[in-house]
Amino acid sequence: MNDPVVIEARGVEKTFQIPEHRVDSLKERAVHPFARREYRELRALRGVSFEIRRGEFFGIVGRNGSGKSTLLKILASIYRADAGTIRMAGRVAPFIELGVGFNPDLTARDNVALNGVMMGLSRQEARNRLDAVLEFAELEEFAELKLKNYSSGMMVRLAFATMLQADADIMLIDEVLAVGDASFQQKCADVFHEMRESDKTIVLVTHDMGAIDTYCHRAMLIDDGEITQIGDPEEVGSHYLKLNFGGFTGNGSDERVGIPDLHTKLIDAWLENSSGERVDNLEVGEPIRLTVELEARTELDRPIFGFHFNSADGLTVFGFNDEHEGNGAGQGRIEAGERIRVSAKVDNPLVPGHYYVRCFALRHRESNIVGLQPIDALDFVVYGMPGGTGVVTVPAEISIQTEPGGSR
């Protein structure tokens, strides 16, 4: 890539002072006004250096507390680095937390105009883009409603649409791919695909390895405030999963039970109706016909493929799996580069709501060691009138009998 560098970080350091004892009341402060407060140091970033070129979709991943969000806030000028330098060329639009900078006592119309100015637009530019913001957020009917009366979903849509209309050269985005309902998530995904092909520079902090693999040209892994890897998104994602689930030492010694690896790649996943047509959502009671298409990155020996159906709050409602035993030969081996299509049909016990399907691919490494890879396949909505309470409905045979009352 020969495009110019638009973000340059050199030796960035950031340390926070964390109090050992918290003072919770004015009484404590008044009774012990000269008490010595002890602090411990938290080194959030340790000599971080990297470059991002114009037009790159650049991902930053790391475990909680690794320093990735701190780095993003330094890029956004929310924090000041203790040491090192940051150089950025172009207008920057930070999207660090949903709704930050909104005034709940102002209407959506006023907030959009105010945020546009804060992101570098002139007052006239901000007003001119108001209709586009409200249209994308699907909130035209609520333009004059104060934000304190907005639902969380409405706030998400407004914040995301406002960021897009800032039309900045550099966008700093922190964990936004899993917000909103299913239809709005798809709209956001379409926007990110467009951004990837544009000359905008996007810096995305996320835990979603699917997003890193789908959108990013390059990615960076941070652990304990230090960069451990920069480069191909698939490789960075693989190391992140190994690091996150334990057992990764950086020296290639990762042959342990349950360590995730990226031995398969999600190509496509969909639901079908009884006519074999793809559908996005299902009606209550309609059978679940699921197909997931994968590509083997390495040779798979007797792989097992499973599915978990999770509710919107992360509860695993039910699941099932099966082992690939081969097509007649009984060998059960899949060569690297081969496509795998896993299809399943199951009765639908789900009550109305939003659900997520996670596919699990397990490959045998040795007789007693397997590699586990979870893949977020798709999400869907079950609609209709609920047939009962809880998360699932179950068939039941109920008998009600009466007997003559006895005399007392």
Side-chain angles (χ1 to χ4, degrees):
M1 184 177 290
N2 297 321
D3 292 301
V5 173
V6 294
I7 300 177
E8 181 185 55
R10 289 287 178 264
V12 177
E13 303 264 352
K14 182 65 179 178
T15 300
F16 294 97
Q17 299 288 331
I18 310 297
E20 293 284 0
H21 303 287
R22 180 177 174 181
V23 178
D24 293 317
S25 67
L26 289 174
K27 180 180 179 181
E28 290 181 69
R29 190 175 294 276
V31 172
H32 306 286
F34 302 108
R36 182 178 178 182
R37 302 187 68 183
E38 297 182 353
Y39 295 86
R40 62 181 176 88
E41 286 192 347
L42 174 63
R43 293 191 64 189
L45 296 175
R46 307 164 183 257
V48 171
S49 300
F50 61 93
E51 294 180 349
I52 302 175
R53 296 184 178 275
R54 185 180 65 192
E56 273 198 282
F57 207 121
F58 190 83
I60 301 177
V61 300
R63 295 182 293 182
N64 290 336
S66 62
K68 58 187 185 304
S69 293
T70 298
L71 175 59
L72 201 67
K73 290 178 180 178
I74 290 176
L75 295 177
S77 298
I78 296 174
Y79 291 161
R80 176 181 294 178
D82 297 332
T85 59
I86 295 284
R87 294 187 176 90
M88 305 184 72
R91 188 164 63 183
V92 180
F95 194 47
I96 307 299
E97 294 180 22
L98 293 173
V100 169
F102 282 162
N103 186 329
D105 291 316
L106 296 181
T107 65
R109 184 181 300 276
D110 292 337
N111 269 289
V112 170
L114 179 61
N115 270 264
V117 172
M118 291 173 61
M119 289 184 177
L121 300 178
S122 67
R123 291 185 180 181
Q124 189 59 46
E125 285 176 324
R127 292 194 189 98
N128 292 343
R129 299 184 185 193
L130 174 64
D131 290 340
V133 171
L134 296 175
E135 180 181 357
F136 184 92
E138 301 170 6
L139 295 171
E140 297 97 327
E141 298 179 10
F142 306 97
E144 304 302 331
L145 187 65
K146 292 184 178 180
L147 291 198
K148 63 183 179 182
N149 297 316
Y150 267 34
S151 68
S152 58
M154 295 165 71
M155 186 76 75
V156 164
R157 300 203 302 270
L158 183 66
F160 191 85
T162 301
M163 179 202 70
L164 294 181
Q165 291 303 318
D167 196 25
D169 304 304
I170 301 171
M171 291 188 177
L172 309 175
I173 307 175
D174 191 358
E175 290 287 11
V176 300
L177 298 182
V179 298
D181 56 25
S183 61
F184 191 75
Q185 286 183 37
Q186 184 58 53
K187 183 181 287 190
C188 295
D190 294 340
V191 169
F192 279 121
H193 279 294
E194 294 175 5
M195 286 181 177
R196 191 181 191 279
E197 304 304 323
S198 71
D199 60 355
K200 294 183 183 298
T201 304
I202 313 297
V203 180
L204 172 68
V205 168
T206 182
H207 289 284
D208 184 357
M209 294 305 102
I212 292 293
D213 193 39
T214 300
Y215 303 116
C216 295
H217 298 103
R218 287 193 303 146
M220 178 170 74
L221 174 62
I222 296 181
D223 186 49
D224 196 24
E226 297 180 323
I227 297 174
T228 60
Q229 188 176 8
I230 298 180
D232 181 75
E234 294 177 9
E235 295 180 2
V236 171
S238 176
H239 284 194
Y240 166 78
L241 289 172
K242 294 171 183 175
L243 181 67
N244 197 56
F245 284 84
F248 178 66
T249 61
N251 59 8
S253 177
D254 63 347
E255 292 292 326
R256 289 169 50 184
V257 175
I259 298 173
D261 58 14
L262 294 179
H263 47 269
T264 56
K265 177 182 179 180
L266 179 66
I267 303 300
D268 200 0
W270 66 90
L271 299 173
E272 294 181 356
N273 59 20
S274 58
S275 301
E277 302 167 328
R278 294 196 182 199
V279 294
D280 295 324
N281 305 304
L282 299 173
E283 191 171 0
V284 168
E286 183 180 357
I288 300 172
R289 301 174 179 87
L290 170 67
T291 299
V292 173
E293 188 173 327
L294 306 167
E295 180 179 297
R297 295 188 180 279
T298 61
E299 181 185 282
L300 305 179
D301 180 22
R302 293 180 295 118
I304 298 173
F305 299 99
F307 298 95
H308 279 183
F309 287 73
N310 300 330
S311 63
D313 57 4
L315 173 69
T316 299
V317 183
F318 65 88
F320 48 86
N321 62 68
D322 198 9
E323 179 176 334
H324 176 64
E325 297 181 349
N327 300 321
Q331 309 223 346
R333 182 175 288 106
I334 299 173
E335 301 296 333
E338 281 192 88
R339 292 288 178 92
I340 313 147
R341 180 170 290 189
V342 185
S343 298
K345 179 182 177 182
V346 61
D347 291 338
N348 182 5
L350 301 171
V351 301
H354 192 180
Y355 298 93
Y356 299 82
V357 179
R358 172 165 282 190
C359 174
F360 290 88
L362 294 84
R363 72 178 176 101
H364 289 256
R365 290 179 174 175
E366 297 175 1
S367 60
N368 61 344
I369 299 180
V370 297
L372 169 64
Q373 180 186 351
I375 303 170
D376 292 324
L378 56 79
D379 66 307
F380 64 98
V381 171
V382 174
Y383 61 91
M385 296 299 294
T389 58
V391 183
V392 297
T393 58
V394 295
E397 294 183 4
I398 302 175
S399 175
I400 301 176
Q401 298 178 341
T402 60
E403 296 181 359
S407 58
R408 294 190 178 182

